[in-house]
């Protein structure tokens, strides 16, 4: 197969987004995003865990500690008790408290709306920060690359194989190839595709709207 030019790859990437826009339209964030504080905590809890599991613990979590000020005065042990059904709950509980404390101490109780500041919060990496900016503040500064987005980007060969285990590099590849207006919907729409069709174990290529433009289609 001849090497694909960058222009052809860009066109194909845009076509991927257009087709998924038509299929899914704008997708609501699956996690509690009533306000940026709830969102940052919910995304922090979602690492290595399904959104459905997170959604089971957040009502009680935010009932007891609804604001950064309230959560800043909780102990990690108290938070652990509420979120113990989640993987890595002890570390996550510690991050919840430290994150709330930092929001109160350094940002006047308001989650910062800035990538550089967000990634300073304990437990918050670029993926979480992208979601908080995008969903919480309507700011599009990147693409949140989670396990679904990463897998699909590589199956579509929109990022080189050497970046397969490095979501931050995959994100940079997607940002280079896709015009900015497409960045907003990639995370949620590709997650939908990953859950519904392009699963990790058994992708249903026969049902996929991208099959004719996907080099990994079987
Ligand atoms: S064609 Fe198959 S591998 Fe490619 S995106 Fe669709 S389901 Fe995934």
């Amino acid at each position: 197969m001849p090497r694909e030019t960058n222009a052809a790859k860009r066109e194909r990437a845009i076509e991927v987004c257009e087709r998924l826009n038509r299929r899914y339209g704008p997708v609501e964030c699956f996690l509690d995003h009533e306000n940026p504080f709830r969102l940052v905590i919910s995304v922090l809890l979602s690492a290595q865990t399904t959104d459905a599991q997170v959604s089971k613990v957040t009502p009680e979590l935010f009932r007891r500690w609804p604001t950064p000020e309230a959560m800043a005065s909780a102990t990690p042990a108290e938070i652990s008790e509420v979120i113990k059904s989640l993987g890595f709950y002890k570390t996550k509980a510690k991050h919840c408290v430290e994150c709330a404390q930092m929001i109160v101490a350094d940002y006047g109780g308001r989650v910062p709306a800035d990538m550089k500041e967000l990634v300073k919060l304990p437990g918050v990496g670029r993926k979480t920060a992208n979601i908080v900016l995008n969903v919480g503040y309507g700011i599009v500064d990147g693409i949140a690359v989670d396990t679904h987005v990463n897998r699909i980007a590589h199956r579509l060969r929109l990022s080189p194989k050497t970046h397969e285990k490095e979501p931050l590099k995959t994100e940079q590849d997607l940002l280079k190839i896709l015009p900015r207006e497409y960045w907003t919907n990639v995370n949620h729409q590709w997650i939908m595709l990953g859950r519904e069709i392009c699963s990790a174990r058994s992708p249903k290529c026969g049902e996929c709207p991208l099959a004719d433009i996907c080099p990994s289609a079987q």
Side-chain angles (χ1 to χ4, degrees):
M1 198 176 148
R3 194 175 167 275
E4 187 178 37
T5 63
N6 282 342
K9 192 189 278 189
R10 185 179 168 87
E11 222 173 274
R12 194 164 58 82
I14 291 173
E15 182 61 20
V16 165
C17 293
E18 290 286 349
R19 288 188 192 186
L20 295 184
N21 266 334
R22 284 198 291 275
R23 185 179 181 97
Y24 298 118
V27 183
E28 270 275 295
C29 178
F30 311 108
L31 295 164
D32 187 330
H33 56 287
E34 196 175 296
N35 59 51
F37 171 65
R38 286 186 175 211
L39 182 60
V40 80
I41 296 295
S42 300
V43 183
L44 187 158
L45 295 178
S46 73
Q48 319 272 329
T49 307
T50 65
D51 293 347
Q53 283 172 295
V54 174
S55 298
K56 280 190 196 149
V57 304
T58 44
E60 176 62 7
L61 186 71
F62 296 130
R63 189 190 67 75
R64 291 181 63 178
W65 302 287
T67 60
E69 290 76 9
M71 199 171 282
S73 61
T75 66
E78 287 171 323
I79 304 269
S80 288
E81 200 45 45
V82 176
I83 65 164
K84 65 184 174 199
S85 58
L86 308 180
F88 307 102
Y89 69 93
K90 285 187 183 165
T91 308
K92 289 176 182 175
K94 193 167 160 283
H95 283 156
C96 283
V97 174
E98 290 172 354
C99 195
Q101 287 172 342
M102 195 163 169
I103 291 168
V104 173
D106 296 353
Y107 302 103
R110 190 170 187 269
V111 175
D114 177 275
M115 173 65 79
K116 257 201 347 266
E117 301 303 317
L118 274 168
V119 295
K120 290 181 188 165
L121 297 174
V124 175
R126 213 183 134 86
K127 184 196 83 173
T128 303
N130 266 321
I131 296 175
V132 173
L133 284 177
N134 193 343
V135 178
Y137 290 115
I139 298 171
V140 182
D141 204 25
I143 295 174
V145 175
D146 76 337
T147 177
H148 293 288
V149 176
N150 196 60
R151 180 175 69 254
I152 292 169
H154 287 279
R155 284 186 176 160
L156 288 166
R157 309 242 172 94
L158 298 177
S159 174
K161 198 165 173 46
T162 46
H163 294 172
E164 211 163 20
K165 292 193 167 38
E166 298 187 80
L168 291 181
K169 289 191 177 166
T170 302
E171 182 193 354
Q172 292 309 315
D173 296 328
L174 292 176
L175 297 184
K176 266 185 231 144
I177 203 167
L178 279 171
R180 208 179 179 94
E181 73 244 42
Y182 290 98
W183 295 0
T184 315
N185 289 329
V186 168
N187 177 266
H188 289 118
Q189 291 179 344
W190 293 26
I191 289 176
M192 294 287 282
L193 185 78
R195 287 177 177 172
E196 196 190 349
I197 296 175
C198 191
S199 67
R201 291 211 181 139
S202 46
K204 299 178 199 142
C205 300
E207 297 171 26
C208 182
L210 309 177
D212 60 313
I213 52 172
C214 174
S216 307
Q218 299 160 1

